[in-house]
Amino acid sequence: MSAPAPFAAARSAVFATLTVLLGAGAHRAGHGSLPTLPDLVAAGGVSLVAARPLARRQRGLPGLSVGVFGSQLGLHIAFLGHHGAHGPGVLPGPAMTAAHLLAGAALVGWLRWGEHALGA
């Protein structure tokens, strides 16, 4: 069943906002720097556009996990230019990987709880 447009818009806005904020926080916690405000706004816009078509219906744990961890990877790459913690490659070090994984797991849990609460 498809969600009404305002509900889908709210669902995608929550996903985009939390994904970008937790991704930026995880990036900083993993020994990177905080992205600039324009970079956060751009990442939020891209996340919002990407999440919008997927927000039309409730997602289960696999769908949420793919969306959240995929966005964490994308945000890591987008925020990569803000620090030299990786050297020449794109692959994160152990602290950065752990930070993004913990942020992703927390967000998946929170979003899954929210989806369950809204569906009840």
Side-chain angles (χ1 to χ4, degrees):
M1 180 164 98
S2 185
F7 189 71
R11 182 183 272 156
S12 58
V14 167
F15 177 86
T17 301
L18 293 176
T19 298
V20 170
L21 292 178
L22 281 175
H27 202 77
R28 175 65 189 112
H31 305 296
S33 61
L34 282 175
T36 64
L37 183 58
D39 288 339
L40 288 172
V41 171
V46 169
S47 295
L48 184 63
V49 168
R52 180 61 188 203
L54 301 173
R56 292 189 179 121
R57 67 177 184 86
Q58 186 173 357
R59 300 289 163 182
L61 188 58
L64 286 173
S65 296
V66 167
V68 167
F69 288 109
S71 67
Q72 287 297 301
L73 177 61
L75 289 168
H76 166 74
I77 292 168
F79 298 155
L80 189 62
H82 296 284
H83 60 87
H86 301 305
V90 174
L91 295 176
M96 185 71 66
T97 299
H100 279 294
L101 287 174
L102 287 172
L107 185 54
V108 166
W110 190 84
L111 289 172
R112 184 65 187 136
W113 173 84
E115 287 286 294
H116 179 71
L118 289 173

